[in-house]
Amino acid sequence: MDQFPKLRPVGRMELCSTARHHLRFYYNVAVAATYTLPPTFTLPIKDYVYKACEILIAQHPILSAVPIGEETKEPYFVRLPNIDLSQSVFFQKREHGFPDAEDRDEELDALLSTQHNTAFELPLPFWRIFVLTDDADETERRFTVVFFFHHAISDGSSGKVFHRTFLQALQSLSSLTVDDVKEVIPSPDSPLLPPGEAVHPKPVSYSYLAVQLFKAKIYDPRDPGLWTGSEVKLPLETKPKHIVFPKHISSTFRDRCRENKTTITAALQTVIARSLFAHLPESSTKVRCSGAMSNRRWLPDPITEDSMGVWVQEYTEDYSRKDLDEASFPWSVTVRSRATIEKELSKEGKDTTANLLRYVNDYQNELYLSKVGLPRSSTYEVSNIGAFTSSTSAEGIPRVGRVVFSQSASVTGSAFEVSVVSGGDGCLVLMFTWQKGVVEDLFILNVIESVRKEVYDLCV
């Protein structure tokens, strides 16, 4: 690996993921999308997937970069000389065919439960693709592309970018021939995009810093009623399950949010909190949501909405039992949550916890190992990467239907994660992931069912 071209040091947010991956505290992120090829695309699916991968590797330099020295304080990216797709792209026949439009994809959950517990290993790329196919699907040539990636090379929004550009690549392949398809792809020589701190000052005010230092070093009282699952513990084993809201429910839910002057993210945070209180003992009077947010919207060129990399931050919102105990759904609380999100957006990257990473000397010990055995700081994470939209949906070209966003559980993170996306089929999908032993399976399954029922009830 020492002979490979050195690109740049791993950035601060990226360092969080190289440290976690090395410690086996967090493995990867995934975004899955189901594609349909028109009848004019007559070559094997593998040929189209391989050619699309070649186009994307040339387009996104991070796909041929890997971090070296994850175990050190100063890892850096190098470029692999080439990528052998046979080592990173895997094809798997479905046993039960594609699920119906409104059903969850149980075979996808089974794949996620394996791959979300599998680390990346050098000298292979720090991403892999699984393609789920169905030979019996004669009327339409459908296949699901599941893109797994190390969080140091991409964030959730980048997973959506991957599929948007993958679709564009497929749409350009109407005249593909067998001779055009390669298995070993040479890496591009274009530079990596910069980390966030290289293009944004990441300012920290004295007042914000003083408060954070006081909490970290002197006193940070914990509400005895705050429930956050078990203490931080090992080993990590991720368990996934998702729910699909059909197009008509998803559309009505979005309309209800607009009518009540809120957003899907703010409403879902509140729905999940209410569902938790329905299954927690009365002594649990507070839950805390950690929200993930893309900050690329205020970053300058060369970072755009079509870039792949890691440009994220977080915010938190607390929910109390007394505010959510009403029989009717408390839309006023969702409006408050929307205001929290908008306040964070208005700061345009100032005074966020991510900006404090400049003061961390040893990520592995200070951020992760030191927290084992201690209480968690938040109950659940909500990460919403929005709707998958393509520029065209004309007949006779490849198109995208169901999209599912997922991530491995995090040893030092929330008790469970909820990853949210809407696909080209108009379905809103919520993926719940949790660490075995941090929450009981029956408890989280009951919470998931309460979330599903609450959303349906709001749409009747």
Side-chain angles (χ1 to χ4, degrees), residues 5-7 54 56-65 78-82 185-193:
K6 189 172 180 177
L7 298 171
E54 179 186 348
L56 262 66
I57 288 166
Q59 193 172 344
H60 299 293
I62 195 65
L63 292 175
S64 53
V78 302
R79 174 166 286 134
L80 300 172
N82 55 57
I185 311 300
S187 296
D189 57 8
S190 45
L192 286 191
L193 290 169

Side-chain angles (χ1 to χ4, degrees), residues 69-311:
E70 282 195 320
E71 74 284 0
T72 71
K73 290 184 182 181
E74 297 179 343
Y76 58 92
F77 286 109
V78 302
R79 174 166 286 134
L80 300 172
N82 55 57
I83 292 175
D84 183 345
L85 296 179
S86 69
Q87 301 295 304
S88 295
V89 182
F90 308 96
F91 294 81
Q92 192 171 302
K93 285 189 174 66
R94 287 181 176 272
E95 294 181 12
H96 308 294
F98 282 88
D100 292 336
E102 300 181 8
D103 293 342
R104 79 181 180 98
D105 189 338
E106 293 186 27
E107 289 186 74
L108 175 61
D109 275 357
L111 175 66
L112 294 170
S113 68
T114 300
Q115 293 302 313
H116 275 326
N117 292 300
T118 305
F120 295 98
E121 301 291 344
L122 297 169
L124 292 174
F126 273 31
W127 56 267
R128 51 185 173 259
I129 289 171
F130 283 79
V131 182
L132 302 179
T133 60
D134 180 14
D135 290 345
D137 192 26
E138 294 176 358
T139 54
E140 294 184 310
R141 297 183 72 204
R142 285 188 293 171
F143 56 96
T144 301
V145 174
V146 194
F147 175 51
F148 292 92
F149 52 96
H150 190 302
H151 209 344
I153 69 167
S154 283
D155 53 23
S157 295
S158 300
K160 194 169 70 168
V161 170
F162 174 91
H163 283 289
R164 195 161 61 232
T165 49
F166 195 91
L167 177 63
Q168 291 165 359
L170 285 179
Q171 291 173 344
S172 72
L173 301 180
S174 57
S175 57
L176 184 70
T177 66
V178 174
D179 294 338
D180 295 329
V181 180
K182 293 187 291 193
E183 186 172 277
V184 179
I185 311 300
S187 296
D189 57 8
S190 45
L192 286 191
L193 290 169
E197 66 269 16
V199 293
H200 188 282
K202 304 279 185 185
V204 176
S205 67
Y206 286 122
S207 57
Y208 178 78
L209 182 60
V211 169
Q212 299 304 315
L213 278 173
F214 185 84
K215 287 181 177 179
K217 304 293 185 183
I218 302 173
Y219 185 55
D220 185 13
R222 181 183 173 91
D223 188 324
L226 174 63
W227 181 86
T228 56
S230 81
E231 76 286 355
V232 173
K233 60 174 162 182
L234 293 163
L236 172 59
E237 181 184 336
T238 296
K239 307 192 83 170
K241 183 173 183 179
H242 68 282
I243 46 177
V244 178
F245 294 106
K247 184 177 181 179
H248 70 283
I249 293 292
S250 302
S251 177
T252 304
F253 183 54
R254 184 172 60 250
D255 292 343
R256 292 281 185 276
C257 291
R258 286 174 178 162
E259 290 163 10
N260 288 279
K261 297 181 171 50
T262 190
T263 62
I264 286 177
T265 302
L268 286 175
Q269 289 180 187
T270 309
V271 166
I272 295 163
R274 265 170 66 93
S275 300
L276 278 163
F277 285 130
H279 300 285
L280 286 170
E282 291 292 324
S283 57
S284 297
T285 55
K286 181 185 285 187
V287 293
R288 177 168 297 151
C289 172
S290 171
M293 174 185 291
S294 170
N295 54 27
R296 61 184 73 201
R297 69 195 80 195
W298 53 76
L299 298 180
D301 288 340
I303 296 163
T304 70
E305 292 297 329
D306 293 318
S307 300
M308 289 185 69
V310 183
W311 303 288

Side-chain angles (χ1 to χ4, degrees), residues 3-24:
Q3 304 153 23
F4 295 162
K6 189 172 180 177
L7 298 171
R8 66 163 173 81
V10 171
R12 290 181 198 142
M13 281 302 296
E14 299 160 347
L15 265 167
C16 292
S17 291
T18 54
R20 289 189 298 174
H21 183 261
H22 169 68
L23 294 171
R24 304 300 190 249

Side-chain angles (χ1 to χ4, degrees), residues 331-407:
W331 284 106
S332 60
V333 176
T334 73
V335 172
R336 185 197 74 191
S337 297
R338 178 186 182 178
T340 298
I341 296 168
E342 289 181 344
K343 181 180 179 183
E344 194 67 29
L345 288 170
S346 71
K347 296 194 297 186
E348 296 192 351
K350 180 181 180 181
D351 286 351
T352 75
T353 53
N355 299 0
L356 300 174
L357 292 174
R358 70 184 66 172
Y359 303 111
V360 178
N361 176 50
D362 185 336
Y363 278 61
Q364 292 187 28
N365 284 307
E366 293 177 45
L367 298 184
Y368 302 111
L369 291 171
S370 63
K371 294 181 180 176
V372 174
L374 299 179
R376 297 168 193 279
S377 58
S378 62
T379 310
Y380 61 100
E381 176 189 309
V382 173
S383 183
N384 183 0
I385 58 173
F388 180 94
T389 53
S390 58
S391 55
T392 177
S393 57
E395 288 297 313
I397 62 171
R399 65 183 190 273
V400 163
R402 176 74 46 80
V403 178
V404 180
F405 168 38
S406 179
Q407 59 179 315

